[in-house]
């Protein structure tokens, strides 16, 4: 199982605790049907092709309820899993296994979904040199987990939140009095965090370049506009395409020469991977 950085480990602990509290509340009444000291063995099956992600969250759900639980994995985060494939075996206190089952599967199937969709986008632009990026359009409370899943699927992370990066959008520009003014203000407050500005047309792109922008988001540009933007920029800034980009269109976008492509659907338009847990 992969080692998580401290911030992600802390987020995992909070997410798992919240999920268990939400489901169990004052106690799992149905689990009381089982003797308190009963032991059980179970296994998890995958019902479709996917990229596995979320082992640490899955394990943490069981270990919070039974620290002595034994989990044996047959696949690791980032690996391709298939239909009817056994992912792991679990042995421990029967009540704990029953109570943790749903939260644990919720994490595993949701994070695997994000990793799987990310891998599809990454594979679609293989060889172009462009990078698939995530956004802040994440499920509430699961941002760090989903961003980990994007990395697992082969994508790259943008800023975690509003505190570790600056993205100057249309309303910021209007409030600041213009593109140059917004970039000047951002330079004063940014410190060592990245500064990106969003532009909606070639004129705004030229203004951003003239003001010294080094990271520019091209919002809803057509393919021809993207090619023109790459030519106009001539390597003076990193260009990122965004807006209504799908699996059918992403390769054409990448072939325009932009370095980055951000996809909100990686973390907001996902369909949970079909997993099931069965007791022996």
């Amino acid at each position: 199982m992969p080692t998580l950085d401290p911030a992600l480990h802390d987020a995992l602990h909070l997410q798992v605790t919240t999920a268990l509290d939400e489901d169990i509340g004052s106690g799992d009444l149905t689990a009381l049907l089982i003797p308190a000291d009963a032991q059980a063995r179970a296994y998890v099956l995958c019902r479709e092709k996917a990229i596995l992600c979320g082992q640490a969250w899955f394990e943490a759900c069981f270990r919070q309820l039974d620290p002595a639980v034994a989990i044996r994995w047959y696949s690791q985060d980032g690996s391709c899993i298939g239909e009817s494939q056994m992912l792991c075996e679990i042995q421990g206190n029967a009540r704990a296994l029953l109570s943790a089952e749903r939260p644990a599967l919720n994490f595993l199937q949701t994070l695997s979904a994000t990793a799987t969709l990310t891998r599809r986008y990454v594979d679609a632009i293989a060889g172009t040199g462009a990078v698939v990026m995530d956004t802040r359009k994440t499920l509430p409370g699961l941002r760090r987990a989903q961003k980990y899943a994007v990395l697992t699927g082969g994508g790259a992370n943008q800023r975690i939140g509003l505190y570790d990066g600056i993205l100057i959008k249309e309303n910021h520009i209007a409030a600041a009095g213009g593109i140059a003014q917004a970039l000047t203000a951002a330079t004063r407050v940014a410190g060592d965090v990245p500064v990106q500005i969003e532009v909606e047309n070639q004129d705004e792109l030229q203004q951003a370049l003239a003001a010294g922008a080094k990271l520019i988001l091209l919002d809803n540009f057509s393919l021809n506009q993207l090619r023109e933007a790459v030519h106009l920029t001539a390597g003076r800034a990193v260009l990122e395409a965004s807006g209504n980009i799908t699996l059918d269109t992403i390769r054409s976008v990448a072939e325009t020469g932009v370095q980055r492509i951000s996809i909100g659907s990686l973390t907001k338009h996902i369909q949970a991977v079909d997993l099931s847990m069965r007791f022996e």
Side-chain angles (χ1 to χ4, degrees):
M1 195 167 65
T3 301
L4 307 182
D5 66 64
L8 182 55
H9 184 272
D10 290 344
L12 178 154
H13 178 75
L14 176 60
Q15 290 160 353
V16 167
T17 298
T18 300
L20 291 173
D21 287 347
E22 177 182 60
D23 210 28
I24 298 173
S26 60
D28 182 349
L29 298 178
T30 314
L32 295 179
L33 303 176
I34 311 300
D37 59 352
Q39 296 289 300
R41 185 190 300 269
Y43 57 91
V44 174
L45 287 177
C46 182
R47 301 296 188 185
E48 60 182 303
K49 184 177 180 180
I51 301 300
L52 180 64
C53 183
Q55 289 177 282
W57 284 260
F58 180 89
E59 287 203 6
C61 287
F62 291 102
R63 296 198 189 285
Q64 279 203 27
L65 301 185
D66 178 10
V69 69
I71 303 176
R72 180 182 182 185
W73 289 95
Y74 296 101
S75 295
Q76 300 299 316
D77 276 5
S79 60
C80 183
I81 53 179
E83 185 176 354
S84 300
Q85 181 174 338
M86 182 185 294
L87 303 183
C88 66
E89 291 183 280
I90 313 160
Q91 184 170 0
N93 178 270
R95 286 186 179 181
L97 266 58
L98 290 165
S99 296
E101 173 187 359
R102 178 41 51 197
L105 287 176
N106 284 348
F107 281 115
L108 199 63
Q109 65 190 19
T110 299
L111 299 186
S112 294
T114 291
T116 301
L117 185 57
T118 301
R119 182 68 60 84
R120 290 173 184 161
Y121 275 96
V122 170
D123 288 347
I125 62 170
T128 65
V131 178
V132 173
M133 309 288 292
D134 59 18
T135 70
R136 288 168 46 242
K137 297 174 182 177
T138 52
L139 301 178
L142 288 181
R143 178 165 298 169
R144 285 189 180 271
Q146 284 193 288
K147 283 182 171 287
Y148 166 80
V150 168
L151 292 178
T152 301
N157 292 158
Q158 303 264 24
R159 57 184 179 162
I160 297 294
L162 298 175
Y163 57 87
D164 66 337
I166 293 175
L167 173 55
I168 305 168
K169 298 176 74 68
E170 178 183 8
N171 288 337
H172 300 105
I173 294 170
I179 287 175
Q181 295 91 325
L183 282 168
T184 298
T187 301
R188 288 198 300 265
V189 303
D192 60 355
V193 305
V195 175
Q196 184 179 36
I197 187 164
E198 180 183 272
V199 300
E200 298 181 344
N201 52 57
Q202 300 291 358
D203 178 61
E204 291 184 354
L205 173 61
Q206 289 180 318
Q207 292 181 54
L209 290 169
K214 298 302 180 185
L215 182 55
I216 302 174
L217 180 66
L218 308 173
D219 183 42
N220 282 299
F221 276 42
S222 68
L223 291 177
N224 285 336
Q225 289 174 323
L226 289 173
R227 295 187 191 97
E228 292 172 5
V230 170
H231 177 74
L232 177 64
T233 302
R236 288 177 289 169
V238 174
L239 298 179
E240 178 179 323
S242 182
N244 298 313
I245 297 169
T246 68
L247 278 169
D248 292 330
T249 63
I250 189 171
R251 188 164 188 91
S252 296
V253 171
E255 289 173 344
T256 66
V258 296
Q259 295 97 328
R260 303 173 14 156
I261 305 172
S262 52
I263 310 289
S265 62
L266 300 180
T267 52
K268 69 169 185 171
H269 293 163
I270 57 171
Q271 180 174 334
V273 173
D274 189 3
L275 306 175
S276 62
M277 179 170 159
R278 293 287 181 264
F279 279 66
E280 293 181 353

